Amino acid sequence: MRSLTFKLMLAFLAISLIGAVLASVFARWITVQEFDRLVLDQAQSNFMAEVTTYYETHGSWIGVTDYLRQKTQASQPPPRPDNTGNVRQPPPQNDGGVRPPLPIPIILIDQNGDVIHPVPPYRLGDYIPPEKLAQGIPVKINGLVVGTILATGSAPPLSDQEQQYLDRTNQALLVSALGAVVIALLWSVVFARTLTKPVRELTGAIRAMAKGKLGVALPVRSRDEIGELTIAFNQMSIDLARANQLRRQMTADIAHDLRTPLTVIGGYIESLRDGVLEPSPARFDVMHQEVQHLQHLVEDLRTLSLADAGELKLNRQRIAPRTLLEQTASAFKYQAEQKQIALQVIAEPGLPEITVDEIRIAQVLGNLVSNALRYTSEGGRIVLSAQRQARQVRLSVEDNGAGIAPDALPHIFERFYRGDASRQQSDSESGLGLAIAKSLVEAHGGTITVRSEGIGKGSTFSVCLPN
């Protein structure tokens, strides 16, 4: 299979060759056409000067036919034998390479429209109709039209010097075409290799990724489509490396979160079986809590897997944003009172209803309020608000609690992210709450964002949903 570089070189060379040939043929055709027109114009000018002088000298066209015939015969050089011994009539020429006035395909017509100097196919005395006569050039003496000259064909045969000029022009065009092809060949080699170099680099990087080397970044050598492809590949490589790292971290975190409750449950069961511990309601309560923690973790993982696969079913219904906020505030009212935290609901008047799965969005808001309660000190404040934003409705949960470090903000919705000490989950939490909230919001076609000025300055989580 031929390489892309070879195919590009062949394509560039073919296009250059075709372009050079077409340009040369077109240039030669134009040159010949214009040169023939120049020769014909010069011949007409000489013929006009000859017949005008004759009329001014004689006062009429009497004898002009014989005069022009004699001029034609006098201008012809004698025949010369060629290499085979045959007699050949050379083309007419004068000293200095100037074209003789005769013979040329031009006829002379008198005032009555009769031909008085014929050139085949016209004969002496033929009548030229006015519409044909209008195509000729009038012969004027003292402002009076006394005759007309009319070209009957193409330019007369070229002289030796004129033919040499055209030959040299053709040679120059041929040399130019060959030079253009050579330059095009060299340029095609350079350009094809330059164009395919990023492709070769991408191929090598993809093969390296297939062997497990993630995070490969290639230099961006241009701003065209190849450059955009390289940028997209670099971003994909970074995302894959990041996703692989998160997958490994998530696997380790899941194993840790599963091991702790299983260890507790297994230890109690083993002790109870061996008679080391006596059964009691308190010990069974501990084991039950650990089982609930495992169930909660498994349910969170199932929700995330369904969201990732796009199979999360939503029971969408129309509901007022304020109703959602008030239901959430009512669910957490007791916990807020226990910590002496003010829980407030503010909704912009006239907000349109939104079409959402009420249970799922309540789960999102509940997770955000639960986090806010966990990281807000006693005497703090949590505000649940709803506002119109373009064609969406924004639901926000704002607190004045522990806040989030700036370097943790880009990763706060990642699964099992533990970068912010102030946001460590408790033993009863799976560490997947914000990741689940993000998946649920995106399943509704919305977005979730977080804003915080830093540690100790509170945070604001905003959910934007289409109305």
Side-chain angles (χ1 to χ4, degrees):
M1 183 178 62
R2 300 290 187 181
S3 67
L4 180 60
T5 301
F6 178 80
K7 293 179 180 179
L8 288 174
M9 289 172 51
L10 191 62
F12 293 149
L13 182 60
I15 293 174
S16 302
L17 182 61
I18 294 173
V21 170
L22 290 178
S24 299
V25 171
F26 183 73
R28 183 183 183 281
W29 181 79
I30 291 294
T31 301
V32 172
Q33 292 294 321
E34 293 300 321
F35 191 78
D36 286 346
R37 182 180 300 175
L38 176 64
V39 170
L40 184 59
D41 290 344
Q42 182 181 359
Q44 288 179 330
S45 178
N46 293 338
F47 189 82
M48 176 66 76
E50 187 73 30
V51 297
T52 301
T53 301
Y54 181 89
Y55 195 93
E56 289 177 343
T57 303
H58 297 82
S60 68
W61 294 121
I62 298 175
V64 70
T65 304
D66 294 335
Y67 170 77
L68 294 177
R69 186 182 299 112
Q70 292 174 2
K71 293 282 291 184
T72 301
Q73 294 174 355
S75 64
Q76 298 295 327
R80 297 179 298 176
D82 55 17
N83 296 333
T84 62
N86 297 324
V87 176
R88 156 175 89 84
Q89 181 70 37
Q93 53 185 333
N94 279 350
D95 294 339
V98 179
R99 171 172 300 280
L102 297 173
I104 52 177
I106 299 177
I107 61 175
L108 178 61
I109 308 164
D110 62 11
Q111 302 92 319
N112 300 320
D114 298 327
V115 176
I116 54 179
H117 172 64
V119 173
Y122 295 97
R123 295 177 297 179
L124 186 66
D126 284 350
Y127 175 75
I128 304 299
E131 59 274 11
K132 184 70 174 178
L133 196 64
Q135 300 175 8
I137 303 175
V139 180
K140 295 183 180 180
I141 304 296
N142 298 325
L144 181 65
V145 177
V146 297
T148 305
I149 62 173
L150 179 64
T152 61
S154 59
L158 301 179
S159 66
D160 289 343
Q161 290 187 348
E162 292 167 343
Q163 188 61 49
Q164 291 175 3
Y165 170 79
L166 286 181
D167 292 341
R168 288 193 296 268
T169 302
N170 293 336
Q171 292 175 0
L173 290 174
L174 179 60
V175 171
S176 300
L178 292 177
V181 171
V182 172
I183 294 175
L185 177 60
L186 297 176
W187 172 249
S188 65
V189 173
V190 176
F191 186 72
R193 292 183 64 86
T194 302
L195 187 63
T196 56
K197 184 176 182 179
V199 178
R200 294 195 300 271
E201 292 177 341
L202 284 170
T203 302
I206 291 173
R207 289 174 178 171
M209 291 179 62
K211 296 178 180 179
K213 186 179 180 181
L214 303 179
V216 178
L218 298 176
V220 180
R221 304 183 183 277
S222 62
R223 298 183 179 272
D224 54 11
E225 288 81 357
I226 297 295
E228 293 179 357
L229 176 61
T230 304
I231 294 174
F233 172 83
N234 289 341
Q235 186 61 47
M236 180 192 69
S237 178
I238 294 172
D239 292 342
L240 282 176
R242 178 65 177 168
N244 187 59
Q245 179 184 359
L246 291 176
R247 178 184 61 81
R248 292 179 179 179
Q249 183 64 43
M250 185 179 72
T251 303
D253 290 336
I254 291 175
H256 175 270
D257 285 355
L258 289 174
R259 183 173 61 248
T260 300
L262 287 175
T263 301
V264 174
I265 295 173
Y268 271 105
I269 291 177
E270 184 177 356
S271 298
L272 291 172
R273 183 194 62 185
D274 296 339
V276 177
L277 295 177
E278 294 294 331
S280 67
R283 293 188 177 102
F284 285 120
D285 287 342
V286 172
M287 288 190 289
H288 180 67
Q289 290 176 1
E290 296 300 332
V291 170
Q292 285 185 322
H293 177 60
L294 287 174
Q295 291 176 339
H296 185 61
L297 176 61
V298 171
E299 183 62 27
D300 286 348
L301 291 173
R302 179 178 178 274
T303 302
L304 281 175
S305 64
L306 290 175
D308 291 341
E311 298 177 356
L312 188 64
K313 295 182 180 180
L314 300 176
N315 183 21
R316 296 176 182 265
Q317 295 179 347
R318 301 288 292 178
I319 188 170
R322 185 181 186 91
T323 302
L324 274 174
L325 298 182
E326 289 177 345
Q327 290 176 353
T328 303
S330 176
F332 289 90
K333 180 179 179 181
Y334 177 75
Q335 296 182 30
E337 291 177 348
Q338 291 295 314
K339 295 190 65 174
Q340 299 180 1
I341 296 176
L343 193 59
Q344 185 179 4
V345 174
I346 300 177
E348 181 181 300
L351 286 176
E353 292 185 338
I354 53 179
T355 303
V356 296
D357 187 322
E358 182 178 349
I359 297 177
R360 295 296 187 182
I361 296 301
Q363 181 181 355
V364 172
L365 295 174
N367 180 276
L368 298 180
V369 174
S370 176
N371 285 343
L373 286 171
R374 187 177 302 113
Y375 302 112
T376 301
S377 302
E378 292 185 2
R381 176 179 55 87
I382 298 175
V383 177
L384 283 69
S385 62
Q387 295 176 326
R388 186 191 301 271
Q389 180 173 305
R391 296 183 178 181
Q392 295 182 322
V393 173
R394 184 178 65 190
L395 307 178
S396 300
V397 177
E398 179 183 0
D399 65 69
N400 58 353
I404 305 173
D407 58 344
L409 286 175
H411 312 289
I412 198 68
F413 294 105
E414 295 175 359
R415 302 168 189 183
F416 294 106
Y417 179 70
R418 302 176 186 270
D420 189 350
S422 67
R423 291 272 172 177
Q424 293 292 339
Q425 67 264 24
S426 65
D427 293 337
S428 61
E429 297 297 321
S430 66
L432 296 172
L434 291 178
I436 292 175
K438 182 174 183 291
S439 297
L440 293 177
V441 171
E442 291 178 348
H444 284 80
T447 58
I448 182 170
T449 57
V450 60
R451 178 173 54 85
S452 178
E453 299 298 329
I455 300 297
K457 297 183 179 180
S459 59
T460 302
F461 285 83
S462 298
V463 175
C464 292
L465 297 170
N467 54 31

